[in-house]
Amino acid sequence: MSSTKYMNPYLAGILLGLVLVAAFYFTGRGLGASGAVKSVVVSVVDVVAPDHANNSGFYSKYIGDGKNPLKTWLVFEVLGVLVGGFLSGAFAGRLKLKVEHHPNITSKKRLILAGIGGVLFGYGSQLGRGCTSGSALTGMAVLSVAGFVSMMAIFGTAFAFAYFFRRNWI
Amino acid sequence: MGPLIPQEIIAEGWNFLIAFGVGIGFGFILEQAGFSSSRKLAGVFYGYDAVVLKVFFTGAITGMIGLLYLSLFDWIDLNLIWVNPTYLWSAIIGGIIMGAGFIVGGFCPGTSVCAAAIGKIDAMVFFGGIFIGILLFGETFEWIKPLYMAEYWGQIKLSELIGISQGLLTFFIIIAALLMFWVAEMAEKKFPQKEY
């Protein structure tokens, strides 16, 4: 099956902005992603080591008083992202199980780097109170200082480090 | 007048269904734009593909303008829209760690979900890494807390910080974005992507 081309980026950006505005209109909050993973992590820690979770300044914020961290807006939103991405990939003929990597590096190296990148992003998203969607994109749309700072720190750092990782990409 | 759920105009029971629907739209557009490919995402840092810059800034600007217009017509109460608080140092250091994760891993959390959905194994591994990273943060929380809470500026907007109206700030951001789009289009011509 031949895959279809990607959407015009400016059109995609406008549609993304409209989804963002819809999220604001309904819930008063924008989009997000890392918060859903946080909910899962908190739930797992709460099941595996409930005392530890209750005594921690981090996990305890999201549990107790009958609160279920999995029944939150972002968890359902991210499940939607999974379905939406799958539908788009299906329509465009892009569904394929594979490791995408540059010929300079092996699949194994790509997977190790992807894992390290995920760990870094996970840690940074909690320290920075949100990731590219929750802090940078949503924050910028409401003109919050935090949104602009996040955006500049994320993209600026990736730019600054790009030279050192160029063999992996170009 | 929006936002609907915080004002109980529609019941909270709708919350999760709306979240799921918004997520589908979000994921569909990310995939359509090509955000399911780490090579396209990383392209912006080498100039060969600036799709990230174009989609991200067009999206942010559309969001800004959308909110301002909805508020102008009294369809949304901007006072009820959540403004994420600024803790300066954690935003900067967290952003630096995320930026490093971006260039090493090739995804951000949202795009990794979208790429995993179409079968990218590297995205699934990246997504797994996010769990470990968040767990590490949870386990080091007391140690990092002084940095996490430092330099709190409140729920402040950039327009308030520099003392201009939200509309004027948005106008300047649009001009800046148009300049960036122009640079991006030039860069894509100058650094063509090598096929492999």
Side-chain angles (χ1 to χ4, degrees):
Chain A
M1 188 159 52
S2 67
S3 57
T4 49
K5 274 174 59 179
Y6 293 115
M7 188 187 279
N8 175 293
Y10 301 109
L11 176 62
I14 290 170
L15 294 176
L16 175 64
L18 293 178
V19 171
L20 181 57
V21 171
F24 280 122
Y25 183 71
F26 284 113
T27 70
R29 287 178 180 240
L31 300 168
S34 52
V37 184
K38 175 182 72 187
S39 294
V40 177
V41 170
V42 170
S43 305
V44 171
V45 172
D46 190 27
V47 169
V48 175
D51 289 341
H52 177 60
N54 280 312
N55 292 329
S56 151
F58 178 66
Y59 308 116
S60 61
K61 279 187 284 184
Y62 310 103
I63 49 177
D65 304 331
K67 271 191 279 185
N68 181 351
L70 289 179
K71 281 179 80 176
T72 51
W73 205 83
L74 279 179
V75 170
F76 287 84
E77 188 231 69
V78 167
L79 288 174
V81 172
L82 198 63
V83 173
F86 178 83
L87 288 175
S88 164
F91 288 138
R94 281 193 285 267
L95 295 182
K96 196 180 172 203
L97 210 56
K98 70 166 177 180
V99 180
E100 187 184 34
H101 64 92
H102 194 277
N104 282 346
I105 60 170
T106 60
S107 290
K108 191 179 158 198
K109 188 176 178 194
R110 168 71 188 122
L111 290 179
I112 292 169
L113 289 170
I116 295 171
V119 173
L120 288 169
F121 229 118
Y123 197 95
S125 70
Q126 294 315 298
L127 182 58
R129 294 176 173 78
C131 59
T132 332
S133 352
S135 184
L137 178 68
T138 301
M140 277 177 65
V142 297
L143 303 174
S144 93
V145 173
F148 289 95
V149 172
S150 292
M151 181 273 292
M152 285 191 285
I154 295 172
F155 287 107
T157 305
F159 234 127
F161 288 169
Y163 178 80
F164 305 103
F165 293 95
R166 65 191 184 285
R167 287 277 297 161
N168 301 330
W169 301 109
I170 52 172
Chain B
M1 186 162 108
L4 300 182
I5 288 168
Q7 301 185 96
E8 297 175 350
I9 292 170
I10 52 175
E12 210 176 339
W14 283 94
N15 219 340
F16 295 145
L17 194 64
I18 292 168
F20 190 62
V22 164
I24 289 177
F26 187 26
F28 193 92
I29 294 159
L30 287 181
E31 208 292 320
Q32 280 293 308
F35 281 25
S36 52
S37 162
S38 58
R39 285 193 54 231
K40 275 185 86 68
L41 292 170
V44 68
F45 304 116
Y46 300 100
Y48 65 75
D49 191 335
V51 65
V52 167
L53 186 140
K54 295 178 196 171
V55 175
F56 182 89
F57 281 96
T58 313
I61 289 170
T62 307
M64 288 173 202
I65 300 172
L67 281 178
L68 289 180
Y69 269 91
L70 286 179
S71 134
L72 182 67
F73 297 129
D74 277 339
W75 286 358
I76 202 164
D77 184 353
L78 281 188
N79 295 317
L80 296 174
I81 298 296
W82 168 255
V83 176
N84 44 336
T86 301
Y87 291 82
L88 189 66
W89 285 112
S90 62
I92 293 174
I93 308 288
I96 289 173
I97 298 172
M98 286 189 270
F102 205 160
I103 199 70
V104 172
F107 289 111
C108 63
T111 53
S112 75
V113 174
C114 167
I118 67 157
K120 296 280 169 67
I121 299 165
D122 41 332
M124 298 173 196
V125 173
F126 183 97
F127 191 67
I130 302 171
F131 284 82
I132 299 171
I134 293 178
L135 185 66
L136 280 174
F137 183 81
E139 296 305 315
T140 56
F141 183 69
E142 291 304 325
W143 171 74
I144 199 126
K145 202 175 171 186
L147 176 67
Y148 185 67
M149 303 303 293
E151 205 60 37
Y152 176 54
W153 287 8
Q155 290 180 295
I156 189 172
K157 294 184 178 186
L158 186 59
S159 44
E160 295 161 356
L161 186 72
I162 55 182
I164 58 172
S165 74
Q166 299 187 52
L168 190 59
L169 175 64
T170 301
F171 176 76
F172 287 138
I173 294 168
I174 293 169
I175 301 292
L178 290 176
L179 285 171
M180 280 193 293
F181 294 153
W182 180 65
V183 172
E185 297 289 347
M186 304 250 287
E188 284 178 346
K189 285 198 184 75
K190 191 160 183 267
F191 306 101
Q193 183 166 19
K194 295 183 197 85
E195 287 300 324
Y196 55 82

